[in-house]
Coordinates of all heavy atoms in Angstrom, one line a residue:
Chain B
H55 N -6.6 3.3 0.0 CA -6.2 3.1 1.4 C -7.5 3.0 2.2 O -8.2 4.1 2.4 CB -5.3 4.2 1.8 CG -4.7 4.1 3.1 ND1 -4.1 2.9 3.5 CD2 -4.6 4.9 4.1 CE1 -3.6 3.1 4.7 NE2 -3.9 4.3 5.1
A56 N -7.9 1.9 2.7 CA -9.2 1.8 3.3 C -9.3 1.1 4.7 O -10.2 1.4 5.4 CB -10.1 1.0 2.3
H57 N -8.4 0.1 4.9 CA -8.6 -0.7 6.1 C -8.6 0.1 7.4 O -9.2 -0.3 8.4 CB -7.5 -1.7 6.2 CG -7.7 -2.9 5.3 ND1 -7.1 -3.0 4.0 CD2 -8.4 -4.0 5.4 CE1 -7.4 -4.1 3.4 NE2 -8.3 -4.7 4.2
H58 N -7.9 1.3 7.4 CA -7.8 2.0 8.7 C -9.1 2.6 9.1 O -9.2 3.0 10.3 CB -6.7 3.1 8.6 CG -7.0 4.2 7.6 ND1 -7.2 3.9 6.2 CD2 -7.1 5.5 7.7 CE1 -7.4 5.0 5.6 NE2 -7.4 6.0 6.4
V59 N -10.0 2.7 8.2 CA -11.3 3.3 8.6 C -12.4 2.3 8.7 O -13.6 2.7 8.9 CB -11.7 4.5 7.6 CG1 -10.8 5.7 7.8 CG2 -11.8 4.0 6.2
V60 N -12.1 1.0 8.6 CA -13.2 0.0 8.7 C -13.6 0.0 10.2 O -14.8 0.0 10.5 CB -12.7 -1.3 8.2 CG1 -13.8 -2.4 8.5 CG2 -12.4 -1.3 6.7
L61 N -12.6 -0.1 11.1 CA -13.0 0.0 12.5 C -12.8 1.4 13.0 O -13.5 1.9 13.9 CB -12.1 -1.0 13.3 CG -12.2 -2.5 13.0 CD1 -11.2 -3.3 13.9 CD2 -13.6 -3.0 13.2
G62 N -11.7 2.1 12.5 CA -11.4 3.4 13.0 C -10.7 3.5 14.3 O -10.6 2.4 15.0
R63 N -10.3 4.7 14.7 CA -9.7 4.9 16.0 C -8.5 4.0 16.3 O -8.3 3.7 17.5 CB -10.8 4.7 17.1 CG -12.0 5.6 17.0 CD -11.7 7.0 17.2 NE -12.9 7.9 17.2 CZ -12.9 9.1 17.0 NH1 -11.8 9.8 16.7 NH2 -14.1 9.8 17.0
A64 N -7.8 3.6 15.3 CA -6.6 2.7 15.5 C -6.9 1.5 16.3 O -6.1 0.9 17.0 CB -5.5 3.5 16.1
R65 N -8.1 1.0 16.2 CA -8.5 -0.3 16.9 C -7.7 -1.5 16.3 O -7.6 -1.5 15.1 CB -10.0 -0.5 16.9 CG -10.8 0.5 17.6 CD -12.3 0.2 17.6 NE -13.1 1.2 18.3 CZ -13.7 2.2 17.7 NH1 -13.5 2.5 16.4 NH2 -14.4 3.1 18.5
P66 N -7.3 -2.4 17.1 CA -6.6 -3.6 16.6 C -7.5 -4.5 15.9 O -8.8 -4.5 16.1 CB -6.0 -4.2 17.9 CG -6.9 -3.8 19.0 CD -7.5 -2.4 18.6
A67 N -6.9 -5.4 15.2 CA -7.7 -6.5 14.4 C -7.0 -7.8 14.7 O -5.8 -7.9 15.0 CB -7.7 -6.1 13.0
V68 N -7.8 -8.9 14.5 CA -7.3 -10.2 14.5 C -7.1 -10.7 13.0 O -6.4 -11.7 12.8 CB -8.1 -11.2 15.3 CG1 -8.1 -10.8 16.8 CG2 -9.5 -11.3 14.8
S69 N -7.8 -10.1 12.1 CA -7.6 -10.5 10.7 C -8.1 -9.3 9.9 O -9.0 -8.5 10.3 CB -8.5 -11.7 10.4 OG -8.3 -12.1 9.1
A70 N -7.5 -9.2 8.7 CA -7.9 -8.1 7.8 C -7.4 -8.5 6.4 O -6.4 -9.2 6.2 CB -7.2 -6.8 8.1
G71 N -8.2 -8.1 5.4 CA -7.9 -8.4 4.0 C -9.0 -8.0 3.1 O -9.6 -6.9 3.3
E72 N -9.1 -8.7 2.0 CA -10.1 -8.3 1.0 C -11.0 -9.5 0.7 O -10.5 -10.7 0.9 CB -9.4 -7.9 -0.3 CG -8.3 -6.8 -0.2 CD -7.5 -6.7 -1.4 OE1 -7.2 -7.7 -2.0 OE2 -7.2 -5.6 -1.7
L73 N -12.2 -9.3 0.3 CA -13.0 -10.4 -0.1 C -13.9 -9.9 -1.3 O -14.2 -8.7 -1.4 CB -13.9 -10.9 1.0 CG -14.9 -10.1 1.7 CD1 -16.2 -10.0 1.0 CD2 -15.1 -10.6 3.1
I74 N -14.2 -10.9 -2.1 CA -15.2 -10.6 -3.2 C -16.4 -11.4 -2.9 O -16.4 -12.6 -2.7 CB -14.6 -11.0 -4.6 CG1 -13.3 -10.3 -4.9 CG2 -15.6 -10.8 -5.7 CD1 -12.6 -10.7 -6.2
L75 N -17.5 -10.7 -2.8 CA -18.8 -11.3 -2.3 C -19.7 -11.5 -3.5 O -19.9 -10.6 -4.4 CB -19.4 -10.3 -1.3 CG -20.7 -10.8 -0.7 CD1 -20.5 -12.1 0.1 CD2 -21.3 -9.7 0.2
G76 N -20.2 -12.7 -3.6 CA -21.2 -13.0 -4.6 C -22.6 -12.8 -4.1 O -22.8 -12.2 -3.0
E77 N -23.6 -13.3 -4.7 CA -25.0 -13.1 -4.2 C -25.2 -14.1 -3.1 O -24.7 -15.2 -3.0 CB -26.0 -13.4 -5.4 CG -25.9 -12.5 -6.6 CD -26.2 -11.1 -6.3 OE1 -26.9 -10.8 -5.3 OE2 -25.8 -10.2 -7.1
G78 N -26.1 -13.7 -2.2 CA -26.5 -14.5 -1.1 C -25.5 -14.9 -0.1 O -25.5 -15.9 0.6
G79 N -24.5 -14.0 0.1 CA -23.4 -14.2 1.1 C -22.4 -15.2 0.7 O -21.6 -15.6 1.5
V80 N -22.3 -15.6 -0.6 CA -21.3 -16.5 -1.0 C -19.9 -15.8 -1.2 O -19.9 -14.7 -1.9 CB -21.7 -17.2 -2.4 CG1 -20.5 -18.1 -2.9 CG2 -22.9 -18.0 -2.2
I81 N -18.9 -16.3 -0.6 CA -17.6 -15.7 -0.7 C -16.9 -16.3 -1.9 O -16.7 -17.5 -2.0 CB -16.7 -15.9 0.5 CG1 -17.4 -15.5 1.8 CG2 -15.4 -15.2 0.4 CD1 -17.7 -14.0 1.9
L82 N -16.6 -15.4 -2.9 CA -15.9 -15.9 -4.1 C -14.4 -15.9 -4.0 O -13.8 -16.8 -4.5 CB -16.3 -15.0 -5.3 CG -17.8 -14.8 -5.6 CD1 -18.0 -13.9 -6.7 CD2 -18.5 -16.2 -5.9
E83 N -13.9 -15.0 -3.2 CA -12.5 -14.9 -3.0 C -12.2 -14.2 -1.7 O -12.9 -13.2 -1.4 CB -11.8 -14.2 -4.2 CG -10.3 -14.1 -4.1 CD -9.7 -13.4 -5.3 OE1 -10.2 -13.5 -6.4 OE2 -8.6 -12.8 -5.2
I84 N -11.2 -14.6 -1.0 CA -10.7 -13.9 0.2 C -9.2 -14.0 0.3 O -8.6 -15.0 -0.2 CB -11.4 -14.5 1.4 CG1 -11.1 -13.7 2.7 CG2 -11.0 -16.0 1.6 CD1 -11.9 -14.1 3.9
N85 N -8.6 -12.9 0.8 CA -7.2 -12.9 1.0 C -6.8 -12.1 2.3 O -7.7 -11.5 2.9 CB -6.4 -12.4 -0.2 CG -6.7 -11.0 -0.5 OD1 -6.6 -10.1 0.4 ND2 -7.1 -10.7 -1.7
N86 N -5.6 -12.1 2.7 CA -5.1 -11.4 3.9 C -4.3 -10.1 3.5 O -3.5 -9.7 4.3 CB -4.3 -12.3 4.8 CG -3.0 -12.8 4.1 OD1 -3.1 -13.2 3.0 ND2 -1.9 -12.7 4.8
L87 N -4.6 -9.6 2.3 CA -3.9 -8.4 1.9 C -4.4 -7.1 2.6 O -5.5 -6.7 2.3 CB -3.9 -8.2 0.4 CG -2.9 -8.8 -0.4 CD1 -3.1 -8.5 -1.9 CD2 -1.5 -8.4 0.0
S88 N -3.6 -6.6 3.5 CA -4.0 -5.3 4.1 C -2.7 -4.5 4.4 O -1.9 -5.0 5.2 CB -4.8 -5.5 5.4 OG -4.8 -4.3 6.1
G89 N -2.5 -3.4 3.8 CA -1.4 -2.6 4.1 C -1.4 -2.1 5.5 O -0.4 -1.8 6.2
T90 N -2.6 -1.8 6.1 CA -2.7 -1.3 7.4 C -2.3 -2.3 8.5 O -1.6 -2.0 9.4 CB -4.1 -0.7 7.6 OG1 -4.4 0.3 6.7 CG2 -4.3 -0.2 9.0
F91 N -2.8 -3.5 8.4 CA -2.7 -4.5 9.4 C -1.6 -5.5 9.1 O -1.0 -6.0 10.0 CB -4.0 -5.1 9.8 CG -5.0 -4.2 10.4 CD1 -6.0 -3.6 9.7 CD2 -4.9 -3.9 11.7 CE1 -6.9 -2.8 10.3 CE2 -5.8 -3.0 12.3 CZ -6.8 -2.4 11.6
Q92 N -1.4 -5.8 7.9 CA -0.3 -6.8 7.5 C -0.4 -8.0 8.3 O 0.6 -8.5 8.9 CB 1.0 -6.1 7.5 CG 1.1 -4.9 6.6 CD 2.3 -4.0 6.7 OE1 3.4 -4.6 6.8 NE2 2.2 -2.7 6.6
C93 N -1.6 -8.7 8.3 CA -1.8 -9.9 9.1 C -1.1 -11.1 8.5 O -1.0 -11.1 7.2 CB -3.3 -10.1 9.3 SG -4.2 -8.8 10.1
S94 N -0.8 -12.0 9.3 CA -0.2 -13.2 8.7 C -1.3 -14.1 8.1 O -2.5 -14.0 8.4 CB 0.5 -14.0 9.8 OG -0.4 -14.5 10.8
P95 N -0.8 -15.0 7.2 CA -1.8 -15.9 6.5 C -2.8 -16.6 7.4 O -3.9 -16.8 7.1 CB -1.0 -16.8 5.7 CG 0.3 -16.1 5.5 CD 0.5 -15.3 6.7

Side-chain angles (χ1 to χ4, degrees):
Chain B
H55 190 46
H57 283 96
H58 65 300
V59 292
V60 176
L61 300 180
R63 304 291 187 202
R65 293 182 179 95
V68 296
S69 183
E72 305 169 323
L73 61 84
I74 300 176
L75 181 63
E77 300 295 340
V80 176
I81 306 296
L82 304 178
E83 183 178 329
I84 187 170
N85 66 49
N86 63 314
L87 270 180
S88 166
T90 298
F91 291 101
Q92 300 173 41
C93 300
S94 66

